[in-house]
Amino acid sequence: MSETASSSPVVVLVEPQMGENIGAAARAMANFGLTDLRLVRPRDGWPNEKATAAASRADHVIAATRVFDSVEAAIADLGFVYATTARDRDLTKEVVGPVEAGRRLRGFAAQSVKTGLLFGRERWGLDNDEIALADQILTLPVVPEFASLNIAQAVLVIAYEWRKAGFEAEDGGLPFGMPERSPPATKEELVHLFEHLESALDERSFFRPAEKREPMVRNLRAIFQRVQLTAQEVRTLRGIIATLEGRPTRPTKVKGPAKTSKDDEAPLPDGDGGEPG
């Protein structure tokens, strides 16, 4: 899913002190599709070489970063703003966690409302006047005795929840999906595998004593049935059995003892399972 600058929240860092933290925050933003970074009175000025180095290929975020003289100016065009803080403030504002915030931000985006996330200084966060400018407080479920997070860490967590809220599946948006599998083996293919295996085991006198052959066969078949083999996996297993039998070919169908003829043979699959014979 691609995000646009108009749909994703703005990240505002208030008086950030270290360029490395700005760069790490930019990288966290890029990881989860946020692109609009705004700085309020950065201590070491802007641009900042240390921020660029720490951004680690999030150059598009760094290049578009804007600097403002006040929080009011930085959020002037936003319709809804979260103030991030872990401190207990004497302010009558609703407090939400990152999961709920992600959902609400998505809802605002669907209504074309531009939103923002306000982060405070490394040492002491946001002051009450700055929090008062926000609509709600966003806090993380941290351990109270150790509630302080690095700015980039906080940006990462909230950006992650924002992105995750945009997918229906709980683990949606992964950069790769499950590998394509061969179709499930048909019952006919499974029966041929069973018969092939059982005939090979008969040749090696595996089923002993003879009167226990029937329950042993049932148990073997139950093992393979639980695995839910694909057609390719069946072909691979039959190739393995034929190799263990010491034959350069394997029967395409096995009925009874494993005997092959020129009309009932197929090449072995390749080492990775190959194609059907």
Side-chain angles (χ1 to χ4, degrees), residues 62-277:
I62 293 295
T65 297
R66 288 179 283 171
V67 177
F68 295 83
D69 291 328
S70 67
V71 174
E72 291 87 344
I75 64 174
D77 62 328
L78 306 183
F80 185 92
V81 175
Y82 276 117
T84 64
T85 181
R87 295 181 183 177
D88 185 15
R89 306 284 183 162
D90 187 20
L91 293 169
T92 307
K93 287 186 183 293
E94 184 178 359
V95 179
V96 301
V99 175
E100 180 60 27
R103 295 194 192 105
R104 294 187 184 185
L105 290 169
R106 286 288 177 183
F108 283 121
Q111 301 171 44
S112 299
V113 175
K114 197 165 182 62
T115 58
L117 300 163
L118 196 59
F119 294 86
R121 303 151 188 84
E122 288 95 329
R123 295 186 63 184
W124 49 278
L126 297 168
D127 63 31
N128 284 350
D129 289 337
E130 291 160 348
I131 294 174
L133 294 171
D135 298 276
Q136 293 177 0
I137 292 174
L138 197 172
T139 193
L140 304 180
V142 293
V143 176
E145 295 78 17
F146 201 75
S148 178
L149 267 73
N150 174 276
I151 290 177
Q153 293 173 331
V155 171
L156 182 75
V157 172
I158 298 169
Y160 165 74
E161 292 297 347
W162 148 263
R163 181 159 176 79
K164 195 172 78 168
F167 298 97
E168 291 184 8
E170 188 170 345
D171 279 328
L174 297 179
F176 51 86
M178 290 295 290
E180 291 188 11
R181 298 191 75 201
S182 168
T186 65
K187 296 305 178 186
E188 181 182 31
E189 290 169 327
L190 286 173
V191 168
H192 291 161
L193 168 65
F194 298 153
E195 292 175 342
H196 188 182
L197 175 61
E198 291 152 16
S199 65
L201 293 174
D202 277 329
E203 290 288 330
R204 300 296 185 273
S205 301
F206 175 80
F207 299 110
R208 298 192 306 271
E211 59 269 21
K212 289 191 176 181
R213 184 184 190 281
E214 188 172 334
M216 292 174 74
V217 165
R218 281 198 298 267
N219 287 338
L220 277 174
R221 293 190 176 198
I223 290 171
F224 286 106
Q225 290 277 22
R226 284 196 297 270
V227 178
Q228 297 181 326
L229 295 169
T230 67
Q232 178 61 61
E233 289 167 342
V234 166
R235 291 194 291 270
T236 299
L237 287 171
R238 294 195 64 189
I240 292 171
I241 296 167
T243 299
L244 294 175
E245 290 176 315
R247 294 186 289 107
T249 57
R250 65 164 173 79
T252 56
K253 294 184 180 180
V254 177
K255 295 182 180 179
K259 295 180 180 179
T260 62
S261 68
K262 291 183 179 179
D263 296 328
D264 194 30
E265 294 182 348
L268 280 174
D270 297 332
D272 63 353
E275 296 300 322

